[in-house]
Amino acid sequence: MLVVNPATEQPIAELEQAGIGETDAAVARAKAAFPAWRALAPGDRGRLLRRLAMLVEEHGEELARIETRNVGKPISDSRGEVGMVADVFHFYAGAVDKHHGETIPVAGGVDMTFREPLGVVGLIVPWNFPLNISSWKLGPALACGNTVVLKPAELTPLSALRLAELALAAGIPEGVVNVVVGKGSVVGQRLVDHPDVAKIGFTGSTEVGRSVMRAAAATIKRVTLELGGKSANVIFADADLEAAAAAAPYAVFGNAGQDCCARSRILVERAAYDRLLDLLVDATRGIKVGDPEEDSTEMGPLISAEQREKVASFVDGDPVFRGDAPNGPGFWFPCTLVEASNDDRVAREEVFGPVAAVIPFAGEEEAIRLANDTPYGLSGSIWTENGARGLRVARAIDTGVLSINANTSVRVQTPFGGFKQSGFGRELGMHALEGYSDVKNLFIAT
Ligand code: NDP
């Protein structure tokens, strides 16, 4: 199987595809490694995760280059993401002995709870943030004492393979972290079906998430699903319009729009619509699209020709703005702004490319109604200088992650995950530890 650089369409690696036999072997290795890993003193598990964090820092530039060549994302983004990966392992190194049980007052004795690891967990990761999303799952899974089999997306396996080597170099015992490269329909499906896999941590499309959930029922596997999104960026007329317009394009065109958190519906209050649209076009025109290995590049190509075709199908007629993109080899697509209604396909489906729908609204009530008029509920932003309104609207929007006067979704310390068909379960922060452990209750008669 050839791994391709999406900016050049040239192969950068050739790997053998694993099948069901290799997947079963990886699960068996993880199962064999589990008793010793769970029994390790928490401080020692933490120390190993800390060492992994430090190795990620030491190899930061190498990992960032791998990610940029394999995903096509700008090198400055990859450097930031690798920095986050190190921070994630530092965080969970420190969290190992801070996620603990309770004692509960009962009659006739003492009652206490323990947090027990689940066993072997299967981690299924998409191609848009391969290293980052791997770490979001590995950190809490390992901290809780589970062993893992990680399946990166077929298109982007390289950084996960390097990370597994670094885990070994950090002293994490063999068998604790396994990476299996192969097709989702083969390796991923086998992990979901495997009776010795206790839980699946999945990030990807809502469609595959649905099938994972269905298949997991056969073995009553736990699942965490981080799925698609169609998030709203709600800009009120009383906002700092310059700041909102400067930030909005990056919230859609970052990672070339291949981001489940993309705020791809820009909802603008009618009173500020014309002015904001002008500002938005100016800001979008300023985005530097080109060679992802250049330090100053802000947007690279899409992941594949197939993805480019899918994205193109969302743009018909004359968009209000279409940027420049290189002609040559590479899966390029220009930054595109379209005026739309919330009922249009571009406002209903996840585009997963650099296409933003700009949609007018007429006041707070309509803004909330439109923001919620989607089957998804992952992230979103609200721009207003009225603090009470910001809070009011934030409470009324049904999504897992929101920001006021900012476009951030993801922080190492805070919970990340969806409402509605964006999935369930939380990644990052202390919340992620809930998804990788079970509560055991013990009563001792006195
Ligand atoms: P998928 O949901 O198909 O892939 C996500 C992961 O699941 C990959 O590792 C994939 O493996 C694996 N997978 C695929 N089929 C199965 C299966 N039957 N059982 C278990 N695992 C499986 O997303 P795509 O990468 O194909 O992207 C399609 C669309 O999904 C995008 O255009 C976008 O709209 C959305 N998407 C959303 C993401 C998000 O973060 N919310 C992330 C990625 C995509 P492999 O790729 O090797 O086949």
Side-chain angles (χ1 to χ4, degrees), residues 1-68:
M1 162 192 133
L2 288 177
V3 180
V4 167
N5 179 341
T8 62
E9 300 184 38
Q10 291 303 309
I12 49 171
E14 186 169 6
L15 302 179
E16 254 181 67
Q17 291 235 22
I20 287 181
E22 287 84 0
T23 310
D24 286 355
V27 173
R29 272 196 302 277
K31 190 177 174 185
F34 175 61
W37 181 247
R38 88 179 293 185
L40 203 61
D44 291 337
R45 257 200 327 269
R47 252 184 293 281
L48 292 173
L49 286 176
R50 173 96 48 212
R51 238 183 261 157
L52 175 56
M54 283 154 61
L55 280 180
V56 169
E57 283 164 349
E58 224 171 89
H59 293 264
E61 186 63 18
E62 176 201 346
L63 288 165
R65 291 277 162 199
I66 293 174
E67 201 77 327
T68 282

Side-chain angles (χ1 to χ4, degrees), residues 96-165:
V96 167
D97 51 9
K98 293 167 194 69
H99 181 240
H100 43 64
E102 347 150 63
T103 54
I104 302 169
V106 292
V110 176
D111 195 284
M112 63 182 86
T113 63
F114 298 88
R115 299 281 180 171
E116 302 288 9
L118 304 172
V120 178
V121 299
L123 308 178
I124 301 179
V125 172
W127 43 256
N128 53 345
F129 295 94
L131 199 57
N132 247 13
I133 294 177
S134 296
S135 75
W136 301 357
K137 299 181 191 310
L138 277 169
L142 296 175
C144 288
N146 304 284
T147 55
V148 309
V149 179
L150 185 141
K151 195 212 93 63
E154 207 190 336
L155 294 172
T156 57
L158 300 182
S159 54
L161 288 169
R162 187 68 186 112
L163 186 64
E165 287 176 346

Side-chain angles (χ1 to χ4, degrees), residues 123-129 133 151-156 182-192 200 202-209 211-212 226-229 258-261 303 306-307 310-311 350-353 376 378 422:
L123 308 178
I124 301 179
V125 172
W127 43 256
N128 53 345
F129 295 94
I133 294 177
K151 195 212 93 63
E154 207 190 336
L155 294 172
T156 57
K183 283 190 187 308
S185 55
V186 179
V187 174
Q189 189 65 49
R190 180 61 186 156
L191 287 175
V192 179
I200 294 289
F202 174 87
T203 301
S205 62
T206 295
E207 190 190 342
V208 176
S211 87
V212 165
E226 203 273 276
L227 309 174
Q258 303 165 122
D259 182 350
C260 48
C261 294
I303 191 70
E306 189 189 359
Q307 192 65 18
K310 181 186 156 196
V311 173
E350 188 174 42
V351 176
F352 234 58
Y376 296 111
L378 190 52
S422 291

